[in-house]
């Protein structure tokens, strides 16, 4: 398990110049977050915090790999990610989010960035998770191919073709 305390930033103690923080995240980070869909990975995060009049600008650069489940064979696979994120943080009366602006209680002045980092990692993962060609689990690929072939041949033989699709298919025929 990883202590998430190091991801809490005291905004009121920051100097006027740009502050840079570096984090190397491992499996412990993902396991420490409640409700996390990711359980493992190796990610480097660089945070640049610029203090301006009335707000703070947090720029994140995230790069590394996370382990996700392949959509085709259901085996784990390493998914490379790289992303840049920008957050604007202001001090206010209560903690809240208003659009792209995060409001942090002025009395406390501390922002927990662990969930922001996690969300930027998750949003960098492509929607489709599939191994490179030939890298999927061969046994599962064979079963998938057999079931797909059976289903498509059954559907084709039992279901009549909608005439609207027939007309569209004729457009695809080239002389």
């Amino acid at each position: 398990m990883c202590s998430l305390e190091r991801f809490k930033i005291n905004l009121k103690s920051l100097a006027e110049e740009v502050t840079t923080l570096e984090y190397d995240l491992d499996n412990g980070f993902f396991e420490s977050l409640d409700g996390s869909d990711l359980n493992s990975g190796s990610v480097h995060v660089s945070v640049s915090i610029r203090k301006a009049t009335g707000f703070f600008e947090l720029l994140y650069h995230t790069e590394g790999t996370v382990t996700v489940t392949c959509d085709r064979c259901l085996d784990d696979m390493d998914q490379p990610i790289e992303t840049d994120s920008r957050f604007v943080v202001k001090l206010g009366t209560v903690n809240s989010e208003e659009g792209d602006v995060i409001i942090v209680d002025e009395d406390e002045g501390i922002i927990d960035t662990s969930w922001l980092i996690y969300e930027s990692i998750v949003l960098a993962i492509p929607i489709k998770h599939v191994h490179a060609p030939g890298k999927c689990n061969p046994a599962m690929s064979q079963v998938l191919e057999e079931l797909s072939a059976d289903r498509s041949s059954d559907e084709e033989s039992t279901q009549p073709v909608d005439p609207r699709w027939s007309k569209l298919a004729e457009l695809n025929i080239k002389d």
Side-chain angles (χ1 to χ4, degrees):
M1 285 286 191
C2 167
S3 172
L4 298 178
E5 285 298 314
R6 66 185 178 133
F7 298 102
K8 292 183 179 179
I9 301 171
N10 186 347
L11 297 172
K12 293 174 23 175
S13 69
L14 294 177
E16 290 295 325
E17 68 265 0
V18 175
T19 304
T20 304
L21 303 171
E22 303 280 331
Y23 302 111
D24 287 314
L25 311 178
D26 57 8
N27 299 349
F29 171 77
F30 297 105
E31 292 168 0
S32 295
L33 292 172
D34 291 332
S36 170
D37 291 335
L38 295 174
N39 294 324
S40 61
S42 176
V43 180
H44 178 77
V45 179
S46 176
V47 184
S48 175
I49 306 168
R50 182 177 65 91
K51 186 176 183 178
T53 306
F55 69 94
F56 299 86
E57 181 181 44
L58 283 67
L59 301 173
Y60 287 85
H61 178 74
T62 307
E63 191 172 348
T65 59
V66 292
T67 304
V68 295
T69 303
C70 176
D71 292 336
R72 186 174 296 142
C73 71
L74 303 178
D75 281 353
D76 285 344
M77 62 176 275
D78 288 336
Q79 177 68 54
I81 60 163
E82 183 174 358
T83 186
D84 292 309
S85 305
R86 178 182 178 270
F87 300 100
V88 174
V89 180
K90 292 183 177 182
L91 298 176
T93 56
V94 293
N95 291 339
S96 66
E97 288 187 34
E98 297 175 3
D100 295 338
V101 179
I102 300 168
I103 309 293
V104 174
D105 186 6
E106 189 170 11
D107 294 335
E108 189 175 309
I110 296 175
I111 183 169
D112 185 355
T113 62
S114 59
W115 197 254
L116 295 175
I117 292 170
Y118 172 75
E119 285 179 340
S120 64
I121 291 170
V122 169
L123 291 173
I125 299 172
I127 293 173
K128 187 175 181 180
H129 319 128
V130 179
H131 283 104
K135 300 291 184 186
C136 275
N137 179 332
M140 184 63 94
S141 295
Q142 182 180 356
V143 170
L144 180 63
E145 187 175 318
E146 289 170 3
L147 293 174
S148 295
D150 287 345
R151 187 180 64 199
S152 65
S153 64
D154 288 345
E155 286 178 6
E156 289 174 6
S157 63
T158 60
Q159 301 232 348
V161 176
D162 187 330
R164 294 173 292 184
W165 293 115
S166 300
K167 291 292 183 188
L168 287 173
E170 290 173 12
L171 292 175
N172 202 16
I173 300 172
K174 296 181 181 175
D175 292 327

